[in-house]
Amino acid sequence: MLLTAAIALLIAAPAAAKAPPRGAYDCVIGSGGTLFGTLTIKSKSRYAHRGSHGTFRAKGGLRTYPDGIAAYPISFKKGTLGGMKGRWHKTSDGVYEIALRNPTDDFESIYCDRR
């Protein structure tokens, strides 16, 4: 009976939202390396970028995207990155990366790597 209750609890648990690790991320646009500034993750829901402070939301669990990368979804609500969505993951090199989509054309073109 106790084992059945424990299994039921594990099955019913929702996917946990996970925020990227705190710290500074150097951001570039595309593969050309045009600097987009430094993104600083301050807490589970706050960030700073280009002297502005804002909020983000890490909602949902780990999922596999069409390009085969397993990552966590992230969306920025307020601040200079407000309206941008993307994903974050740990690369095979062990670097944490946040990849953002341009809200105008929904093209993933901004990459932020943790220092």
Side-chain angles (χ1 to χ4, degrees), residues 93-112:
D93 299 345
V95 175
Y96 288 100
E97 179 178 80
I98 299 172
L100 299 174
R101 302 181 88 68
N102 184 326
T104 306
D105 59 9
D106 198 38
F107 183 73
E108 186 178 280
S109 60
I110 300 170
Y111 301 96
C112 306

Side-chain angles (χ1 to χ4, degrees), residues 26-76:
D26 292 322
C27 301
V28 295
I29 299 172
S31 60
T34 304
L35 190 62
F36 186 67
T38 300
L39 167 65
T40 304
I41 300 295
K42 298 179 143 303
S43 71
K44 291 181 185 178
S45 63
R46 297 196 152 298
Y47 75 94
H49 178 254
R50 293 187 175 175
S52 172
H53 297 274
T55 59
F56 69 88
R57 187 173 181 185
K59 183 179 180 183
L62 185 66
R63 62 182 247 198
T64 302
Y65 287 81
D67 60 3
I69 294 176
Y72 297 92
I74 188 170
S75 60
F76 292 83

